[in-house]
Amino acid sequence: MERAVLDQLADYFKSRLARYPTTLSEDESLLADPTLNPKKRVATQLVRSEKKMLTACLQAAVDLIDQLPDHTVSPCPAPYAPIFK
């Protein structure tokens, strides 16, 4: 059951990161521009922080998955698998 939950969490974090139109490195490059509009700078800093949190959470889930005894896929035993939004 742990693997099923961690797999769902990892998938959720991946899908959230995939929705952003830019990557974290693209945001870093954008913020390096001294002529960037101040409003765009603040918005990019906020989005960058969100991406860093999601990336850290994804890495934590992957690390926990790697600590499990084996790598077999385990479906969620619940009557239905919850969908995170």
Side-chain angles (χ1 to χ4, degrees), residues 2-79:
E2 289 173 342
R3 179 172 304 283
V5 171
L6 290 169
D7 283 339
Q8 281 188 335
L9 281 171
D11 288 344
Y12 172 75
F13 296 136
K14 288 176 192 174
S15 69
R16 283 290 308 271
L17 284 166
R19 289 184 201 156
Y20 289 102
T22 59
T23 64
L24 192 52
S25 61
E26 290 171 333
D27 292 342
E28 296 289 349
S29 297
L30 193 58
L31 290 171
D33 180 4
T35 63
L36 183 64
N37 175 304
K39 288 184 181 181
K40 178 81 171 171
R41 179 173 300 282
V42 170
T44 303
Q45 288 171 333
L46 175 62
V47 170
R48 179 186 62 174
S49 295
E50 291 172 359
K51 289 178 190 176
K52 284 183 176 183
M53 286 187 282
L54 288 168
T55 301
C57 290
L58 174 59
Q59 187 59 52
V62 169
D63 290 346
L64 288 170
I65 289 170
D66 289 343
Q67 292 176 21
L68 294 175
D70 62 19
H71 291 291
T72 58
V73 176
S74 171
C76 186

